[in-house]
Amino acid sequence: MASAPSSDDMFDQFLSQRGHEVEVAEWEESYNKKQCPDCGGLHETAATECSVCGWTPVN
Ligand SMILES: [Zn+2]
């Protein structure tokens, strides 16, 4: 009964590998505009940083 790896173990491993990746690095898109994932502010697609909270995409 102990031979098959459980999916719970696989999921725990997945979480431990990604657990520290909490920062969002990309703009979200809403109604053809860029949306700041941090404060939710909407900006023109040419925007390179959020004028509301100062967030910038992490590259
Ligand atoms: Zn913002």
Side-chain angles (χ1 to χ4, degrees), residues 17-44:
Q17 287 172 351
R18 290 186 50 92
H20 58 281
E21 293 183 27
V22 292
E23 281 194 45
V24 180
E26 301 271 337
W27 290 102
E28 294 177 14
E29 292 186 21
S30 180
Y31 302 102
N32 295 323
K33 289 180 179 291
K34 288 179 175 176
Q35 183 173 30
C36 174
D38 204 18
C39 72
L42 288 173
H43 303 281
E44 299 300 326

